[in-house]
Amino acid sequence: MSMPSRVSRRRPLWGLVALVALIPLVLAGCKGNEQEQAPPPGSTTSEQPPPQATVYTRAEIATFTPDQIEALRKGIAVMQKRPATTPTSWIYQANIHGVPVEGDNCPASTDPMQEAWSTCQHGSFFFLAWHRMYLYYFERILRSAIQEGTGDPTYQFALPYWDYSTHQLPDPFRMPADPSNSLYVSERRPLCNNPQPGQECVSDAQGSSQQAMTLVPFCNCPDGQASCDGCTANLTPDETFGGEFTPQPEHFLNQFGELESQPHNVIHNRVGGPTGWMSDPDCAARDPIFWLHHANIDRLWQVWLNQNSGRLNPLGSTAWTTTKFTFFDEKGTKVEMTGCEILNMVTQLDYQYKDLPVQNVQLCAQAGQPKPETTPAPAEQVQELAASPSQGFTLGSKPLKVAVPVPAKARDRITSLAESAQPERLRLVIEGLSLVHHGGVYEVYLNLPQGQKPDPKGPYFVGLISLFGHLGQGQESSRSFDITDEMHNLAQRHEWNGKVELTFVLSGGEETGVVAESTPAQLVRFRRARIITRQQE
Ligand code: C2O
């Protein structure tokens, strides 16, 4: 074995940068919330333990130097050589997310089932916390693998993130397109590995987290439940940032919070396509880009908190704060973690995102302190205004138009809502969604005129539908969109004629000849579409 050689260029002054960057964080941490408020009950912001010595800074992948990219490649290669049943191996870590079975987009696992395999949390309010823990231990394992691979035991590695709102799949993950590059996998949508002029892997609409950022509630109570442990009642999951309350961990539930739907699910499906790894939860974490995708999702969680105005983690929920999840550290030692332990990434864990202060973070109440109360949502009246037949609809590679008949009374109501600004909102709900095939991202349009080219930047675009989960397990979810502004704009343009027609278009229909031929005829089903309105009582 050769002596570890130290190449100082490989180790930029991360330590110093981190330390300097910490000073304002520590000060901000002592102040607590930015706005002048009494600290909420349960907040122990002023009693935070002192930050740990090393804080690793996660930076955008495009800022990585060639040396840093090389180190990343070496570390992944080290992990990939370890046997699947070793907790610090690439496959063991990927199988914590999901274990491939027959019919998946990657070969079925032949290894005996191991501890913590197939435990990822999707479709519930555990989504963000579980993935933060998963990334944290993965980062420690990868850092130590990089130290082994580079021969530099002091190498200061932090996971890069991929901000898809600014650029396409990063070059080092596409090139060279051969096994010498451990960041490359061929099992991706061809357009992502081989971009063509004018055809994108990820469009602006697909990479956007804008809608999720506008939402204040972290979580909702399941349908029909007037209250639950720490979440807001009378909301659909996609009116929350972080997803639906569930009393216990569930591998997959399928009621996605807004950030999980968009951009999370959308990016999985865009990168994986119908047959690639990223679109299949049992294969996704085998693709190195998975970890950069999730670092970005984890970063967006803090971006959301920093906007404050009532945005808070659901510390009122005992399930969310105390449920224990199992992982392994860089020594292969089993560890358990709870929601309470991952709230402040700097002081409780050991990382931060470049140029992103950690603000508006409450910690769990200490023994004897009262639990924070969740303000109950104002009582609301939900009224159905219109509904499509509930015969069921199938989305494939061709656009589908669905008429939603509007009864006369509802038409007047919609007209008056569309014409004058009122607090009452109109919502389009797509019910009974199920996944037939991986990889689809659908654009939804409201009253797209005949012959008009569907354009997500245009005035008829409502939003995206993108499911990420297991096939054929009978799980159904719903997706809903606020269409008040779209209706208002229709009325403004004198295009509102009392009729509603929805158009569903597979994103990437532009790929004719590249992927379209291999696109399955059916990707997603749904039962019906409804238009509802909510009025505060
Ligand atoms: Cu657990 Cu983005 O996947």
Side-chain angles (χ1 to χ4, degrees):
M1 228 174 99
S2 64
M3 277 301 289
S5 68
R6 289 173 146 225
V7 182
S8 59
R9 244 184 340 131
R10 281 194 191 145
R11 295 185 292 112
L13 299 166
W14 291 104
L16 187 64
V17 170
L19 213 68
V20 171
L22 251 176
I23 296 164
L25 293 185
V26 173
L27 295 177
C30 295
K31 267 195 309 193
N33 291 355
E34 285 251 290
Q35 291 170 359
E36 282 194 32
Q37 294 170 346
S43 163
T44 56
T45 10
S46 56
E47 292 161 37
Q48 282 176 11
Q52 298 179 13
T54 309
V55 176
Y56 298 94
T57 300
R58 295 184 180 172
E60 219 286 334
I61 182 68
T63 68
F64 262 44
T65 63
D67 283 346
Q68 287 177 302
I69 296 288
E70 253 346 280
L72 180 57
R73 286 189 173 128
K74 283 184 183 154
I76 291 176
V78 165
M79 286 181 72
Q80 285 173 337
K81 283 196 205 91
R82 295 174 180 158
T85 50
T86 299
T88 57
S89 72
W90 188 256
I91 294 296
Y92 196 111
Q93 287 293 308
N95 284 357
I96 289 180
H97 199 264
V99 178
V101 296
E102 223 47 68
D104 277 350
N105 284 357
C106 54
S109 166
T110 52
D111 298 301
M113 197 66 183
Q114 305 288 316
E115 179 149 33
W117 279 10
S118 278
T119 54
C120 72
Q121 297 295 307
H122 281 264
S124 83
F125 74 164
F126 288 120
F127 168 71
L128 284 165
W130 186 87
H131 286 82
R132 172 166 290 179
M133 301 169 193
Y134 184 39
L135 253 70
Y136 172 68
Y137 282 108
F138 174 83
E139 182 179 57
R140 285 172 53 160
I141 293 169
L142 180 54
R143 181 180 304 131
S144 119
I146 289 176
Q147 292 169 347
E148 190 180 316
T150 58
D152 177 356
T154 62
Y155 195 98
Q156 306 273 297
F157 168 79
L159 269 178
Y161 64 88
W162 171 27
D163 180 0
Y164 20 75
S165 73
T166 60
H167 64 89
Q168 303 290 316
L169 198 85
D171 291 351
F173 287 70
R174 308 190 289 105
M175 295 176 301
D178 62 51
S180 75
N181 180 5
S182 62
L183 300 175
Y184 170 77
V185 302
S186 62
E187 294 85 354
R188 292 183 187 134
R189 192 182 286 275
L191 272 186
C192 296
N193 272 340
N194 277 308
Q196 306 289 320
Q199 299 178 336
E200 292 164 313
C201 176
V202 180
S203 70
D204 289 352
Q206 291 159 350
S208 168
S209 55
Q210 213 184 323
Q211 179 57 26
M213 290 299 153
T214 65
L215 302 173
V216 171
F218 185 92
C219 51
N220 69 295
C221 300
D223 216 7
Q225 233 167 283
S227 72
C228 62
D229 184 17
C231 298
T232 314
N234 294 324
L235 292 177
T236 60
D238 22 29
E239 288 172 285
T240 71
F241 179 75
E244 187 158 285
F245 167 83
T246 172
Q248 290 120 31
E250 288 266 0
H251 186 29
F252 265 89
L253 270 171
N254 271 1
Q255 296 296 343
F256 305 108
E258 182 63 28
L259 191 77
E260 190 177 357
S261 273
Q262 156 88 45
H264 171 263
N265 289 358
V266 172
I267 296 299
H268 272 286
N269 284 319
R270 283 306 295 173
V271 174
T275 56
W277 289 352
M278 270 288 273
S279 52
D280 183 338
D282 293 342
C283 314
R286 284 163 163 66
D287 185 335
I289 199 65
F290 171 94
W291 303 96
L292 281 70
H293 175 26
H294 272 278
N296 194 46
I297 293 293
D298 186 63
R299 181 183 70 92
L300 291 171
W301 182 8
Q302 187 62 54
V303 170
W304 176 79
L305 279 170
N306 287 358
Q307 290 183 74
N308 211 313
S309 302
R311 290 169 180 78
L312 288 171
N313 290 327
L315 300 192
S317 167
T318 315
W320 195 85
T321 54
T322 63
T323 298
K324 287 193 173 119
F325 293 104
T326 301
F327 301 91
F328 292 87
D329 71 9
E330 67 278 13
K331 298 205 168 66
T333 307
K334 184 177 143 180
V335 280
E336 282 182 333
M337 232 181 195
T338 66
C340 277
E341 293 166 337
I342 52 114
L343 299 164
N344 187 319
M345 60 180 88
V346 175
T347 58
Q348 295 182 297
L349 304 173
D350 60 6
Y351 71 91
Q352 62 183 341
Y353 291 93
K354 196 158 187 294
D355 302 325
L356 186 70
V358 175
Q359 293 166 346
N360 195 29
V361 168
Q362 296 183 308
L363 298 183
C364 289
Q366 282 163 350
Q369 283 184 286
K371 254 174 49 165
E373 294 293 321
T374 319
T375 7
E380 285 184 320
Q381 278 230 317
V382 178
Q383 201 187 349
E384 177 176 300
L385 295 179
S388 75
S390 42
Q391 77 215 45
F393 300 89
T394 303
L395 301 178
S397 54
K398 299 213 171 65
L400 175 78
K401 287 197 181 279
V402 173
V404 182
V406 183
K409 247 176 93 184
R411 183 185 318 161
D412 298 341
R413 182 86 177 278
I414 295 176
T415 306
S416 77
L417 286 179
E419 279 171 357
S420 62
Q422 289 170 47
E424 200 175 334
R425 308 299 289 177
L426 285 166
R427 255 188 121 73
L428 170 66
V429 187
I430 313 295
E431 277 183 352
L433 279 161
S434 62
L435 191 57
V436 186
H437 201 288
H438 298 299
V441 175
Y442 285 91
E443 297 161 7
V444 184
Y445 295 90
L446 178 70
N447 287 12
L448 181 73
Q450 204 63 44
Q452 179 111 7
K453 195 168 173 284
D455 174 9
K457 293 196 175 91
Y460 305 97
F461 178 68
V462 167
L464 298 172
I465 293 178
S466 184
L467 306 178
F468 180 63
H470 295 118
L471 302 177
Q473 295 195 344
Q475 282 174 331
E476 289 192 346
S477 61
S478 65
R479 179 94 176 103
S480 69
F481 308 97
D482 189 316
I483 53 166
T484 321
D485 294 343
E486 284 77 8
M487 274 293 182
H488 180 70
N489 294 340
L490 277 178
Q492 289 286 301
R493 294 194 308 269
H494 307 289
E495 289 179 42
W496 168 240
N497 59 3
K499 296 203 174 106
V500 169
E501 185 186 61
L502 305 172
T503 309
F504 298 84
V505 180
L506 181 66
S507 263
E510 76 276 3
E511 291 163 320
T512 344
V514 185
V515 157
E517 279 168 29
S518 62
T519 301
Q522 301 192 354
L523 289 129
V524 166
R525 274 196 210 108
F526 67 92
R527 202 168 47 251
R528 65 168 180 165
R530 304 161 70 207
I531 295 176
I532 60 166
T533 176
R534 288 234 184 76
Q535 203 170 21
Q536 296 194 352
E537 277 176 343

